[in-house]
Amino acid sequence: MPPQTVTVGIVGKTNVGKTTFFSAATLLDAKIENRPFVTIDPNIGIAYVRKKCAHVELGLQYCNPKNSICLGGYRFVPVKVYDVAGLIKGAHRGRGLGNKFMDDLRQADVLLHIVDMSGETDEEGNPVRPGYYDPLDEIESIEFEINEWFYGVIARDWDRFSRGLDTLSWDEVVSRIAKRVSGLSIKREHVVDALRETKLENTKPGSWKEEDLRLFSRKLRELAKPLIVVANKMDIPEAEDNYRRVINSLKDRKVVVPTSSLFELALRKAAKSGLIRYLPGDSYFEVVDESKLTTKQKLVLDRIREFMRKYGGTGVQRALDTAVFDVLRMIVVYPVENVSKLSDKDGNVLPDAYLVRQGTTAMELAEMVHTELAKGFIAAYIVNKNKRTGAEYKLSDGDVVKIVSATARG
Ligand SMILES: Nc1nc2c(ncn2[C@@H]2O[C@H](COP(=O)(O)OP(=O)(O)OP(=O)(O)O)[C@@H](O)[C@H]2O)c(=O)[nH]1
Ligand SMILES: [Mg+2]
């Protein structure tokens, strides 16, 4: 089975730009308005993470991507994105839309916590003057709501479930817990790590106190659904001071990426209509024909250009890349069938880019390509390193891999 598509969840207070971020990242039309609770049902779409393409690294002239896209020498690999309804303080007690809709995020592997860094929306998401609300408060209170949602899911019927565990071996206890939470896209190793880090290893879950379960649930959330803070609306002047203060106060505890979703959306739309040339993630864009721009368009583009110079881009692509490559520690590898052409059996050069976890072995990759290939596994040939290795070889980012197999299809 090909690797599972990575799922990115967009969460945050209501009216902070979640849907704007989503639209910019996916170029899908979705309702955006300056008032709370515009989004009710989730928006689901495909965005891309960006990596230098292997065809460039290998000095080839071109490639023929099939499961991904190659633009300007960069490989854009698809990820699934969910944009859900907004939260407010007290959501777990039923305020606003509550937090039950967060169940839509059960499949998320990583969360982008969109924060209004300008402070122009209050605790309830109502528009106020920029600088009025403290984004630090937003960061903490909304993460608390996310943790409460997660705890609610874990704690459902926990008493009955945990009592049944007390006579089992520890290994079996871990398996039962892992099975119970598997619907939240949580892996066994997440459970093992969370139990170890909370010192609940080898204890009896049936006798855990509420605070033990809370501790475990919180750690599990951090490991299985890590989040990064997306400091949005950085184009509003008041955001800058807030951003500095937030960075200072969070120190190294959280990853924070400054963005303007509004500017990214404007750029992608302008590129789509042919006004500019812009590759998502670049720190600049080019105007196709200055004479075709209205005065207003020129002014807007000048502002955006200045912003990008300051922050090295709009930040939207960087937020996605940071979440997937740095936080989830995914790498991109390219399985091929034909070593001399670096292609599939039809001659497509570097057709597939697989997003896999760091530490994935050659054998695991073989299984993803085709179970038959794995059954007859003989060796892996790492084309870019001109190296023949075995099943246990741990793949590196950018590896182009030919699986040599007795049952090979080609
Ligand atoms: N200046 C500025 N405004 C933004 C930015 N991102 C979003 N906005 C504005 O913020 C308002 C809310 O945007 P949405 O994307 O609908 O926010 P949301 O978080 O999805 O809101 P709900 O779905 O209602 O919870 C709109 O007026 C957007 O134009 C940004 O980066 N900069
Ligand atoms: Mg929305």
Side-chain angles (χ1 to χ4, degrees), residues 187-199:
K187 303 203 170 51
R188 189 185 159 97
E189 64 255 32
H190 292 138
V191 173
V192 170
D193 291 349
L195 288 165
R196 195 187 49 242
E197 289 181 34
T198 51
K199 304 206 161 48

Side-chain angles (χ1 to χ4, degrees), residues 297-346:
Q297 283 172 332
K298 262 189 208 139
L299 279 172
V300 171
L301 288 176
D302 282 348
R303 263 186 74 202
I304 298 182
R305 193 178 281 118
E306 199 188 319
F307 179 90
M308 294 171 85
R309 216 173 273 143
K310 192 158 166 188
Y311 291 101
T314 70
V316 167
Q317 185 66 55
R318 190 186 305 152
L320 289 162
D321 292 346
T322 303
V324 172
F325 296 132
D326 299 348
V327 176
L328 290 181
R329 294 210 288 273
M330 310 288 288
I331 57 172
V332 178
V333 297
Y334 301 79
V336 295
E337 281 191 44
N338 185 314
V339 171
S340 52
K341 290 189 186 146
L342 297 180
S343 72
D344 60 13
K345 61 180 181 328
D346 301 322

